[in-house]
Amino acid sequence: MRTKDVRVGETYRCEVPLALPWRRYRPETLGDSWWPLSWLRGRYFLLTVVDVDTAARTAQGLMMTGASTRVTVELTEDQAQEAGLPPGGGYLVSGILLDAEGEPVELPRVGTLTVPLRWLHLVDTPVSPSHHDASFREIR
């Protein structure tokens, strides 16, 4: 897509090319996204744009990467004090989230990726025949 057509808050289909030439898609441009994108070559997924870098012609977005029943919550200082824990510990509580009936609740996992704008397509346009769905249901 063209830079002026991409809107923050909109969801697009991102099609990762089969090849990621080093000179065009450098880790300096894509940042920490370069490695996960190398695993997504030839696949497409939905990406909700949260920021657009017009100079680098990239978009940073959110992608659902799976679902899990495990949760981790950081305790506030007040909560740690009420539990009788020494102050300044930065405590985390980790476990499985259960509903009122005691059944596990699955929550979506979301990751951030930086992708070139040219990989973004409107959701209702046809998918390239060479690409496969990389939705979280398939990757697990």
Side-chain angles (χ1 to χ4, degrees):
M1 292 191 76
R2 297 180 309 184
T3 305
K4 68 178 186 170
D5 296 332
V6 176
R7 303 274 183 256
V8 171
E10 294 291 321
T11 300
Y12 299 91
R13 186 182 65 254
C14 181
E15 293 184 5
V16 181
L18 291 168
L20 297 176
W22 179 262
R23 287 190 173 148
R24 178 178 277 179
Y25 304 117
R26 301 175 77 80
E28 297 86 32
T29 305
L30 300 178
D32 293 338
S33 297
W34 192 85
W35 182 248
L37 288 171
S38 69
W39 287 93
L40 290 167
R41 291 177 296 171
R43 299 196 181 264
Y44 68 89
F45 54 89
L46 296 180
L47 184 81
T48 302
V49 174
V50 295
D51 190 27
V52 176
D53 184 343
T54 55
R57 290 184 285 173
T58 59
Q60 184 176 29
L62 302 174
M63 170 195 175
M64 287 187 56
T65 59
S68 175
T69 58
R70 293 201 51 82
V71 293
T72 301
V73 179
E74 184 175 356
L75 294 181
T76 65
E77 285 295 323
D78 291 339
Q79 290 169 329
Q81 184 179 10
E82 284 183 40
L85 300 169
Y91 297 99
L92 300 175
V93 176
S94 184
I96 296 176
L97 180 63
L98 304 174
D99 65 13
E101 287 81 37
E103 295 296 317
V105 176
E106 281 196 351
L107 296 175
R109 290 189 182 262
V110 178
T112 59
L113 288 174
T114 301
V115 300
L117 295 174
R118 68 183 335 166
W119 295 0
L120 299 180
H121 303 273
L122 295 174
V123 175
D124 59 354
T125 58
V127 177
S128 299
S130 60
H131 284 71
H132 303 284
D133 187 3
S135 66
F136 71 92
R137 289 177 301 278
E138 184 180 319
I139 290 181
R140 279 197 199 244

